[in-house]
Amino acid sequence: MTAEPPHLPGRQSPYGLATLLDGADSVLVRPYLTVHEQGAALQQRRRLAPGLATDFGINLDQQVIGEPEVAA
């Protein structure tokens, strides 16, 4: 009995993959991009807060968080 040689798969080009690659699945992220995105989100929240306070009629000049009210 002679053993059959193993069959090798056909050659495939890495450029013609059947499935598309998703960049979100990759763990390779440039750290400066994540820091920039976090900073942009924080800046957006800081810009939103005064506008919401104005919409709800809150005077931010008189609001001191964590302090008891002082009689003038």
Side-chain angles (χ1 to χ4, degrees):
M1 292 189 79
T2 61
E4 290 187 27
H7 295 288
L8 297 176
R11 293 185 357 180
Q12 294 180 351
S13 170
Y15 302 106
L17 297 175
T19 59
L20 297 176
L21 298 177
D22 185 12
D25 292 341
S26 176
V27 294
L28 300 174
V29 177
R30 294 183 179 111
Y32 59 87
L33 288 178
T34 11
V35 170
H36 173 72
E37 290 171 353
Q38 290 171 351
L42 178 63
Q43 185 177 13
Q44 184 179 9
R45 285 193 304 268
R46 286 180 177 169
R47 288 181 178 172
L48 181 65
L52 287 175
T54 304
D55 290 344
F56 289 106
I58 299 172
N59 186 356
L60 294 177
D61 291 336
Q62 296 176 355
Q63 299 295 324
V64 179
I65 299 173
E67 293 292 323
E69 190 168 330
V70 178

